[in-house]
């Protein structure tokens, strides 16, 4: 599939050599652009409360090390480090309520 042009509310796509013209909805044109996931930014995957933090700023972590416990929907979710690195910033405190997609920890 190949995008050729975008005009106003219409877009022409070329799929296997055939041209298709489609109208874009207002919701589609106003959507938030895709952002690739950065594995070095630990985000809350669900709203909840921070119960425990296992790491400190400047500490080295390996992939799979425990970072924190997030309580959500009466369950304790242990969040693990997705990469090797050093803890840059911890942006939360124990007992703090966090919202979905809130940045919790940055790994350098």
């Amino acid at each position: 599939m190949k995008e050729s042009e975008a005009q106003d509310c219409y877009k022409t796509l070329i799929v296997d050599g055939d041209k298709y013209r489609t109208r874009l909805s207002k919701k589609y044109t106003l959507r938030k652009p895709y952002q690739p996931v950065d594995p070095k930014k630990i985000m809350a995957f669900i709203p909840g409360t921070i119960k425990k933090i296992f790491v400190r700023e400047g500490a080295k972590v390996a992939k799979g090390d425990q970072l924190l416990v997030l309580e959500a929907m009466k369950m304790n979710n242990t969040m693990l480090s997705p990469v090797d690195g050093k803890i840059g910033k911890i942006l939360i405190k124990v007992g703090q309520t966090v919202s979905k997609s809130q940045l919790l920890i940055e790994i350098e």
Side-chain angles (χ1 to χ4, degrees):
M1 184 165 82
K2 180 180 167 186
E3 294 181 16
S4 64
E5 65 183 82
Q7 296 178 348
D8 296 328
C9 295
Y10 291 92
K11 190 170 211 169
T12 302
L13 303 171
I14 300 173
V15 180
D16 295 332
D18 295 326
K19 280 188 178 180
Y20 297 93
R21 186 169 182 235
T22 185
R23 188 174 144 246
L24 306 177
S25 67
K26 185 176 180 180
K27 181 179 178 183
Y28 178 83
T29 58
L30 297 176
R31 76 190 191 289
K32 186 177 175 183
Y34 172 73
Q35 294 283 333
V37 176
D38 184 354
K40 293 189 172 192
K41 292 186 177 183
I42 309 302
M43 314 284 264
F45 62 95
I46 191 169
T49 304
I50 303 299
K51 287 298 188 181
K52 190 170 187 174
I53 301 172
F54 296 106
V55 293
R56 290 182 283 153
E57 289 184 1
K60 290 184 179 179
V61 292
K63 183 178 179 178
D65 285 354
Q66 294 180 336
L67 298 176
L68 58 97
V69 174
L70 172 66
E71 182 188 69
M73 299 176 67
K74 299 181 182 180
M75 293 186 291
N76 290 325
N77 302 284
T78 302
M79 297 182 69
L80 308 176
S81 174
V83 293
D84 296 338
K86 181 178 159 187
I87 301 297
K89 287 185 181 178
I90 298 176
L91 304 165
I92 41 133
K93 295 178 181 173
V94 173
Q96 182 178 346
T97 302
V98 296
S99 58
K100 182 179 178 183
S101 301
Q102 181 177 339
L103 180 60
L104 306 175
I105 294 176
E106 291 179 340
I107 299 174
E108 298 175 346

